[in-house]
Amino acid sequence: MSLDALRPSPLVEQATERLREQITGGSWPVGTKIPGETTLAASLGVGRSTVREALRALAGAGLVQARQGSGVFVIATRPHEDWSTRLRQAAITDVYEVRMLVEVEAAQLAARRRTDDDITALGEALAGRRDAAGAGDAEFVDADIALHAAVVAAAHNPVLEGLFTEFVPVLRRGLIDLVELLDLRSGTPNHGDDGHAALVDAVTRADAEAAGSILRDELQRTLAQLHAR
């Protein structure tokens, strides 16, 4: 093994990258025991503490694993990606399909669980969406997402709300692109107002079946437009 000495800074990041290259480049296949900290420190020209931090970073990426009394072994040649990274890289259509599963269930729960405060928040979000009809596409999409977020919040399920929050950056980017590409608001600046008003009404009336059906239809129409791009 031949590893060039590193520049003075930032040492941990450089050490991590150099060791990662040995793994992803095939020099250290899966199952390989990595040289000890002392050997790596001497090869890289850094202290053992720097090597230790680099190995910890590689373990966090799912590339290596320390085995008590045996050493550190390569367990994968490609780092795993966290959920947020996967969402950022996912196709908007894939995200939208999952969004349908999350939001339709959330709408049904919202109709069963909404409080007076939720009803007020939904009314304000619908009014905000209508006010944004006179604004640009990005502002309108933000107001649209805010209404959907209010529906999800009314479900009072923190897991569903957390999932929706994770989707928002990808959804926002995809919806702005869709609105601009298809020029959806050229003739109707408040595109989709009837459906959103019906959704708010269904949740307010505690009609879970109607709330789920209305939202499913709306999302399916948008998904069809995304597939047709």
Side-chain angles (χ1 to χ4, degrees), residues 115-128 146-147 149-151 153-154 200 204:
T115 64
D116 289 343
D117 286 343
D118 293 324
I119 292 173
T120 299
L122 287 167
E124 291 174 349
L126 181 61
L147 174 54
V151 173
V200 170
T204 300

Side-chain angles (χ1 to χ4, degrees), residues 3-8 11 38-47 50-51:
L3 296 174
D4 297 332
L6 301 176
R7 299 184 303 277
L11 293 180
T38 301
T39 301
L40 291 175
S43 297
L44 295 169
V46 298
T50 297
V51 171

Side-chain angles (χ1 to χ4, degrees), residues 17-218:
E17 183 57 31
R18 194 66 55 79
L19 297 178
R20 186 196 304 267
E21 289 172 357
Q22 295 294 115
I23 296 171
T24 59
S27 297
W28 293 339
V30 172
T32 299
K33 179 181 177 180
I34 290 179
E37 290 180 4
T38 301
T39 301
L40 291 175
S43 297
L44 295 169
V46 298
R48 291 179 59 186
S49 61
T50 297
V51 171
R52 197 172 300 121
E53 288 297 321
L55 291 176
R56 188 174 291 119
L58 294 176
L63 293 175
V64 302
Q65 182 182 66
R67 298 175 185 170
Q68 188 67 33
S70 299
V72 178
F73 291 79
V74 177
I75 59 173
T77 57
R78 295 182 62 185
H80 64 69
E81 296 173 336
D82 61 25
W83 176 237
S84 296
T85 300
R86 290 185 181 183
L87 276 179
R88 287 195 301 271
Q89 296 175 346
I92 182 62
T93 50
D94 293 337
V95 173
Y96 228 85
E97 288 175 354
V98 179
R99 179 193 180 189
M100 287 178 62
L101 300 176
V102 170
E103 281 202 64
V104 169
E105 179 63 23
Q108 294 173 335
L109 289 175
R112 299 186 184 104
R113 299 175 178 176
R114 86 287 183 275
T115 64
D116 289 343
D117 286 343
D118 293 324
I119 292 173
T120 299
L122 287 167
E124 291 174 349
L126 181 61
R129 190 179 188 278
R130 287 170 170 168
D131 289 342
D137 291 339
E139 291 83 355
F140 182 73
V141 167
D142 286 340
D144 178 81
I145 291 175
L147 174 54
H148 285 269
V151 173
V152 174
H156 296 282
N157 183 313
V159 177
L160 284 175
E161 192 166 3
L163 284 172
F164 181 79
T165 299
E166 289 281 355
F167 292 153
V168 166
V170 180
L171 289 175
R172 183 178 187 275
R173 185 170 61 251
L175 289 175
I176 291 174
D177 289 345
L178 181 68
V179 169
E180 293 176 348
L181 181 65
L182 301 183
D183 201 18
L184 294 178
R185 302 177 59 222
S186 60
T188 53
N190 195 8
H191 178 77
D193 180 63
D194 290 345
H196 286 79
L199 173 61
V200 170
D201 179 65
V203 172
T204 300
R205 291 186 293 102
D207 190 337
E209 183 177 351
S213 178
I214 290 166
L215 188 51
R216 184 182 298 107
D217 289 346
E218 180 214 333

